[in-house]
Amino acid sequence: MKKIIPKIIKEKVNKALSYYPELKNTSIEFKIKKNIKKSTMQARPIWAFLWKSRKNRSYIILISKKFKIENQEFNTLDIPSEVFIGWIGHELGHVMDYENRSKLSLILFGIKYIFSKKSIKEAERTADTFAVSHGMANYILATKDFILNNASIAQDYKARIIKYYLSPEEIMELVEEKSNS
């Protein structure tokens, strides 16, 4: 198994994957679920990583079929393509982060992510940074714009995005730094 992708999202997922050639031989399953608590998408290693070598790890990216913000429900599969691709690109950034970690580091990361807001911020900003450094800045910006400038989206959800993720300005700074190097 290298990639398992539902047909309905295959084109968009493959577009996001095209920005991560180093994940070509990484096993990743993309799975649409009815609902994911507190998340629209979620990337994580398959628990068997404890018994496998780093190069044989597998990951799953869960995609919530719908997400509810305030009292409005959005169908994740109906959001604009560039937003969906950006969201997948961010989740692939998490996979890149996991790929660079030892087993112990992954275990500690998971524990800290559950209990530490500082760790959440570090993890989400790292995933955004991976996506931007892989050329996905426009997609990540489209995703931020979709969330931050959508009147239907609750302020507390926007506040979470602002608190834990890179800002559009920080993304542009990264793009500028990359173009100057």
Side-chain angles (χ1 to χ4, degrees), residues 130-149:
F130 269 115
V132 171
S133 70
H134 279 77
M136 296 195 75
N138 289 338
Y139 293 103
I140 299 299
L141 287 168
T143 305
K144 305 272 184 236
D145 182 60
F146 176 79
I147 294 166
L148 298 175
N149 296 319

Side-chain angles (χ1 to χ4, degrees), residues 4-107:
I4 297 174
I5 308 168
K7 194 177 269 183
I8 194 164
I9 59 170
K10 194 172 188 87
E11 188 178 323
K12 294 173 193 171
V13 168
N14 281 334
K15 180 68 175 172
L17 281 165
S18 72
Y19 288 88
Y20 291 92
E22 56 272 76
L23 294 177
K24 182 178 182 229
N25 295 316
T26 303
S27 292
I28 306 172
E29 179 181 2
F30 296 82
K31 190 172 192 174
I32 300 169
K33 292 197 63 157
K34 188 176 180 182
N35 193 13
I36 304 171
K37 286 189 173 100
K38 295 184 181 180
S39 249
T40 305
M41 295 186 191
Q42 196 176 75
R44 60 181 186 223
I46 303 290
W47 282 106
F49 79 85
L50 292 168
W51 298 274
K52 291 184 175 185
S53 67
R54 194 181 297 200
K55 69 181 176 105
N56 290 320
R57 284 185 191 155
S58 297
Y59 302 91
I60 187 163
I61 294 179
L62 300 174
I63 301 158
S64 185
K65 189 172 182 141
K66 295 181 186 287
F67 62 103
K68 202 174 197 173
I69 303 174
E70 199 74 339
N71 289 321
Q72 185 167 354
E73 199 169 70
F74 293 84
N75 184 332
T76 308
L77 306 178
D78 290 341
I79 61 176
S81 288
E82 66 274 7
V83 174
F84 188 89
I85 292 166
W87 231 314
I88 293 289
H90 170 86
E91 296 307 321
L92 291 170
H94 283 300
V95 172
M96 290 294 297
D97 184 20
Y98 304 155
E99 284 276 273
N100 293 325
R101 294 177 181 270
S102 67
K103 291 175 189 176
L104 180 60
S105 174
L106 265 176
I107 293 165

